[in-house]
Amino acid sequence: MNPRNFSLRWRHAACLFLIGSISLISSVTFSQESDVGVPFEILGKTMGPIAYKVTIADHPESISPTDLQERVAEVLENVNQLMSTYQPDSDVSRFNRTASTEFQNVDPKTAAVVARAIEISKLTDGAFDITVGPAVNLWDFGPKNLNFTIPSVAQTDAIKSSIGYQFLEVQLDPPAIRKSVSGVNIDLSAIAKGYAVDQVATALDRLGCRNFLVEVGGEVFARGQRFSGGKWRIGVERPNDAGVSLSKIAEISNQAMATSGDYRNFHESMGKRYSHTIDPKTCRPVEHTLASACIISKDCMTADALATAIMVMGKDRGQKLCKEVGADYLLVERESDFGDTLTEFISESFPLFNPPQPKNSPTIVEEILPVFIGAALIFGLVIISMSVGAIFAKKPITGSCGGLANQTNEDGETTCGICSKPTTDCVEKNA
Ligand code: ADP
Ligand code: MG
């Protein structure tokens, strides 16, 4: 090997090694910095399998990332401990076990959620009703989740007498709830997730965070701005069974968004879909064609409950309710139980984000066409001018040797000889 090449290769290898080492060091430094940097993300699971994600765009220096993480987990665990039907010692489970019609003491948070649930029941004419618990269990969407069989009419009739928000009473001070009929059970699944989101948001506000996004199982609250500026962008899922796909993107700030649908949690029997949303009036899964309801509201507890209520009320009543309460909506209707023909209904002021469309690069034909047209025009003009000249001068068009006649070879001869029909004029001129 050429010694010069050898030394060049060594220098090249040394350079690569040096560059590699620097990039390795900088990537380590970056990842260490990103632990406390922005945007800072907290991920975890709550209420059983439900995933949560908190994105903090401006991490306050007064609190360490670990403390922030612990605070978020603590808030979520607290809501779960109080409101889960899966936790035997939760306020909800204790209340469901008792047949007593006396006030039962509960945590102030549980009382606040039950109070809001009753307000939303009144607002939705009972479409939202946390006393659907027995029907949820009967249709096998409850904590036991055994083996789905379609309940008989006698079974659904039997539980109707214990379903109705009118059988519930709540007092805030001291916090307590009461059932007026012994068999009443409550299920906060359609409001607790939204409440948990609000609780995390309140905790982050208190810790001095100004720009963050909280998401628990698809329900979100957005505060302030994204890390790169502008409102937070939230994707709304397209409710099909083939897999998750994005339908639309909403841009929100200081607002909450919640979505209910029949596309994730449902039973199927003999080609029919049974939704986990129960119509409290029939004690059966809802039957209409609404596949999902996405609602934007000031707080997530309200958005969560309204989304479920609208799944019960259907498209027309749902749209009317949203207009009344000033909530934006994106409702999706499905043509048939397992069909993929979906129709969207969006409120006028729904904050849709329209990503700028990338400009398509021109095709080869588009690139060549103007040049071709230009050349054809020039060519056409030349032909026309020559024809006009020939017509007016009344002379035949003769060929040209392109000035070659002026050139002579080594022997002093012109190139007129190569012309097949040299005119006398031409030969004489160039002689
Ligand atoms: P998701 O869990 O997809 O957000 P929802 O917020 O709509 O869904 O909550 C659905 C759950 O709420 C059901 O699994 C059931 O436990 C409960 N539920 C069903 N129907 C009603 C209803 N009409 N009112 C209140 N809660 C309901
Ligand atoms: Mg919900």
Side-chain angles (χ1 to χ4, degrees):
M1 185 187 280
N2 180 333
R4 187 165 165 267
N5 275 355
F6 181 72
S7 84
L8 266 178
R9 277 180 193 210
W10 261 108
R11 257 186 265 165
H12 191 202
C15 269
L16 281 178
F17 177 72
L18 194 66
I19 292 165
S21 315
I22 291 168
S23 55
L24 191 72
I25 292 164
S26 56
S27 76
V28 169
T29 314
F30 175 74
S31 71
Q32 275 173 351
E33 273 176 6
S34 70
D35 285 343
V36 291
V38 284
F40 173 61
E41 279 183 357
I42 302 167
L43 301 159
K45 292 251 162 82
T46 184
M47 304 174 190
I50 297 172
Y52 69 84
K53 181 173 170 182
V54 177
T55 310
I56 299 169
D58 61 350
H59 172 255
E61 280 175 11
S62 53
I63 180 160
S64 75
T66 318
D67 288 349
L68 255 180
Q69 209 161 337
E70 278 172 10
R71 184 75 194 110
V72 168
E74 193 186 323
V75 169
L76 291 171
E77 188 45 31
N78 180 237
V79 175
N80 187 40
Q81 283 294 333
L82 295 173
M83 299 176 204
S84 169
T85 42
Y86 293 76
Q87 299 280 343
D89 55 344
S90 70
D91 277 353
V92 167
S93 295
R94 278 193 301 108
F95 181 75
N96 287 347
R97 267 199 306 272
T98 182
S100 166
T101 53
E102 298 296 310
F103 267 109
Q104 306 294 315
N105 293 334
V106 289
D107 189 275
K109 295 189 185 84
T110 312
V113 173
V114 172
R116 185 67 181 138
I118 294 173
E119 277 171 17
I120 293 175
S121 296
K122 289 178 183 161
L123 191 70
T124 59
D125 192 25
F128 182 81
D129 193 332
I130 55 169
T131 66
V132 286
V136 171
N137 294 337
L138 186 62
W139 286 90
D140 198 28
F141 289 111
K144 297 215 173 83
N145 219 263
L146 304 164
N147 211 352
F148 177 64
T149 49
I150 299 168
S152 66
V153 175
Q155 282 176 300
T156 45
D157 282 348
I159 55 167
K160 278 184 183 163
S161 55
S162 57
I163 293 182
Y165 67 93
Q166 305 86 340
F167 302 140
L168 274 182
E169 213 179 315
V170 62
Q171 68 177 31
L172 297 178
D173 197 14
I177 49 177
R178 176 180 109 75
K179 50 181 109 173
S180 58
V181 172
S182 338
V184 168
N185 262 5
I186 59 169
D187 176 354
L188 300 181
S189 310
I191 192 167
K193 256 196 286 172
Y195 178 73
V197 168
D198 291 338
Q199 286 290 295
V200 172
T202 307
L204 294 176
D205 281 338
R206 288 194 185 131
L207 290 170
C209 299
R210 295 288 164 260
N211 300 291
F212 57 80
L213 183 75
V214 182
E215 191 223 312
V216 178
E219 326 296 33
V220 300
F221 181 85
R223 170 76 74 217
Q225 299 202 329
R226 286 179 297 135
F227 179 57
S228 48
K231 292 182 177 182
W232 293 91
R233 291 177 187 157
I234 323 287
V236 186
E237 280 180 8
R238 175 171 275 272
N240 59 7
D241 302 317
V244 177
S245 65
L246 271 192
S247 156
K248 293 277 182 300
I249 298 171
E251 277 195 314
I252 57 170
S253 175
N254 303 325
Q255 279 171 310
M257 189 172 109
T259 308
S260 278
D262 66 357
Y263 54 104
R264 286 207 185 278
N265 194 2
F266 64 91
H267 295 313
E268 188 193 334
S269 175
M270 318 257 282
K272 195 169 160 49
R273 181 192 289 261
Y274 294 92
S275 163
H276 70 147
T277 309
I278 305 289
D279 183 342
K281 295 219 164 67
T282 60
C283 292
R284 296 177 60 83
V286 290
E287 295 250 344
H288 52 71
T289 50
L290 211 50
S292 75
C294 166
I295 306 297
I296 295 178
S297 183
K298 280 201 190 90
D299 62 282
C300 203
M301 171 158 67
T302 305
D304 197 7
L306 284 181
T308 302
I310 287 162
M311 286 302 292
V312 177
M313 297 167 91
K315 175 182 66 93
D316 296 336
R317 282 178 63 209
Q319 280 177 303
K320 198 164 162 270
L321 171 74
C322 286
K323 278 177 196 143
E324 276 165 25
V325 300
D328 274 310
Y329 59 83
L330 166 50
L331 310 183
V332 181
E333 227 180 3
R334 185 188 288 110
E335 207 170 66
S336 61
D337 259 12
F338 291 95
D340 255 350
T341 312
L342 305 168
T343 317
E344 291 176 348
F345 299 88
I346 303 186
S347 59
E348 267 171 36
S349 50
F350 192 92
L352 273 184
F353 166 66
N354 293 313
Q357 295 298 315
K359 219 173 159 279
N360 287 338
S361 50
T363 61
I364 290 186
V365 174
E366 283 168 344
E367 264 178 7
I368 290 175
L369 203 62
V371 179
F372 182 77
I373 292 173
L377 275 175
I378 293 167
F379 187 71
L381 273 174
V382 168
I383 297 289
I384 290 167
S385 330
M386 282 171 74
S387 313
V388 169
I391 290 162
F392 283 98
K394 291 196 179 136
K395 277 189 178 171
I397 298 172
T398 54
S400 157
C401 59
L404 286 177
N406 293 327
Q407 291 177 12
T408 51
N409 63 14
E410 285 167 0
D411 302 329
E413 295 167 341
T414 68
T415 37
C416 275
I418 62 166
C419 185
S420 55
K421 282 184 184 169
T423 62
T424 16
D425 195 27
C426 187
V427 174
E428 275 167 16
K429 203 164 70 187
N430 294 302

